[in-house]
């Protein structure tokens, strides 16, 4: 049966209104203002389409095929779906979390649960959409009970994420949470000391910040994340940059 509440062009007005209200509420909370998602100029990497090695979309597809039905580390035993990551293969901005959670394990998509919805608001607060960035994790299979990945698991799966970065060649990588920041920066420093500044690593600029799941438990951290994201916005030259 056809859903008559849904127009042929997209989601019904009620859904759009609710999404807009949620985003405005987030912007009010963090003190952001101004830009509508998707109104930022194109954020494709300058040389992306014909960068070294060829078409990044095709190279990401090849990498996904290479990973296959992976059993390289113990995390394969409890997974439903490998969460490869999704987004623009030529994005200038990549988000890296630590690993899939329950909703991601079921759907095979990154950041689709409550933390994912908050990440979407964070992305939209700097004038971008999820489709304009790339989102992935250090490990591609869900750790049991959402624990942090073990060093051996990160050491086995992390290189696939690093190859994704090599292919996409983003200008900025936002490391979401301590395990991601510590892996990308090869350090054991706490996230509170790492966040708020760019670090040069893996041929790009890394901005560590708090994980959206942490913000759900500690809303007072949203202000710090917004400060970090304004630096990312400025580095990318997006509208609102100083
Ligand atoms: Fe393979 Fe990575 Fe999954 Fe481990 S976490 S089984 S290395 S895809």
């Amino acid at each position: 049966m056809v859903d008559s509440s849904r127009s042929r062009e997209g989601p019904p007005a009620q859904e759009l209104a609710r999404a807009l209200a949620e985003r405005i509420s987030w912007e009010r909370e963090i003190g952001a203002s101004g830009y509508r998602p998707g109104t930022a100029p194109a954020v494709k990497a300058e040389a992306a389409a014909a960068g070294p090695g060829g078409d990044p979309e095709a190279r990401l597809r090849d990498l996904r095929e290479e990973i296959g039905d992976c059993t390289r580390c113990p995390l394969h035993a409890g997974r439903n779906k490998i969460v490869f990551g999704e987004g623009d293969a030529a994005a200038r901005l990549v988000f890296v979390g630590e690993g899939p959670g329950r909703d991601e394990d079921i759907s095979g998509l990154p950041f689709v649960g409550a933390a994912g919805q908050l990440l979407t608001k964070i992305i939209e607060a700097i004038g971008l959409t999820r489709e304009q960035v790339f989102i992935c994790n250090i490990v591609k299979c869900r750790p049991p009970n959402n624990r942090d990945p073990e060093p051996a698991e990160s050491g086995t799966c992390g290189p696939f994420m690093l190859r994704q970065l090599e292919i996409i060649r983003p200008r900025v990588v936002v490391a979401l949470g301590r395990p991601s920041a510590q892996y990308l920066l090869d350090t054991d420093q706490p996230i509170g000391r790492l966040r708020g500044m760019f670090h040069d690593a893996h041929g790009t600029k890394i901005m560590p910040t708090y994980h959206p799941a942490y913000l759900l438990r500690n809303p007072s951290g949203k202000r710090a994340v917004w400060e970090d994201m304004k630096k990312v916005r400025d580095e990318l030259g997006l509208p609102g940059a100083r």
Side-chain angles (χ1 to χ4, degrees):
M1 190 187 337
V2 175
D3 179 359
S4 58
S5 69
R6 194 170 285 270
S7 83
R8 289 169 60 179
E9 265 96 43
Q14 275 177 329
E15 276 181 34
L16 288 173
R18 190 174 60 239
L20 184 59
E22 281 177 1
R23 195 168 60 74
I24 289 169
S25 142
W26 152 256
E27 288 182 351
R28 281 208 187 109
E29 266 182 86
I30 61 176
S33 65
Y35 294 91
R36 303 279 73 81
T39 58
V43 287
K44 297 258 182 194
E46 292 81 356
D55 174 24
E57 263 185 47
R59 293 178 67 205
L60 285 180
R61 273 198 305 274
D62 290 346
L63 179 60
R64 178 64 190 87
E65 277 180 28
E66 182 184 329
I67 293 170
D69 195 16
C70 186
T71 57
R72 293 173 180 86
C73 90
L75 291 180
H76 81 275
R79 75 155 179 256
N80 281 301
K81 288 189 176 164
I82 289 177
V83 182
F84 179 72
E86 69 169 0
D88 185 348
R92 290 174 66 201
L93 177 58
V94 172
F95 290 85
V96 180
E98 62 207 51
R102 187 178 62 90
D103 295 323
E104 292 76 20
D105 176 61
I106 292 168
S107 67
L109 300 171
F111 283 88
V112 291
Q117 288 167 23
L118 181 51
L119 177 60
T120 301
K121 290 178 189 173
I122 292 169
I123 293 166
E124 292 179 347
I126 59 167
L128 297 176
T129 65
R130 279 178 72 112
E131 293 73 27
Q132 290 177 300
V133 304
F134 195 89
I135 306 171
C136 58
N137 287 294
I138 304 285
V139 295
K140 303 196 179 305
C141 300
R142 183 192 183 197
N145 302 314
N146 292 347
R147 65 159 169 74
D148 293 345
E150 302 278 359
E153 294 156 356
S154 299
T156 304
C157 200
F160 289 128
M161 179 275 299
L162 295 178
R163 284 174 61 193
Q164 288 175 301
L165 296 185
E166 274 172 33
I167 292 168
I168 299 167
R169 301 171 67 220
R171 185 173 179 120
V172 173
V173 172
V174 174
L176 296 168
R178 177 185 54 78
S180 172
Q182 290 183 341
Y183 178 85
L184 281 163
L185 300 177
D186 192 21
T187 179
D188 57 6
Q189 295 225 6
I191 183 72
R193 205 169 292 166
L194 296 171
R195 62 151 289 272
M197 67 189 96
F198 286 109
H199 305 254
D200 292 321
H202 307 291
T204 187
K205 286 184 178 294
I206 313 272
M207 172 61 81
T209 196
Y210 295 124
H211 194 286
Y214 169 83
L215 296 183
L216 291 175
R217 299 188 302 272
N218 302 277
S220 61
K222 287 179 180 175
R223 173 66 65 173
V225 170
W226 177 236
E227 291 304 317
D228 300 345
M229 291 307 299
K230 280 195 287 188
K231 290 176 184 163
V232 169
R233 182 192 65 189
D234 292 355
E235 179 66 25
L236 294 172
L238 294 170
R242 284 185 292 272

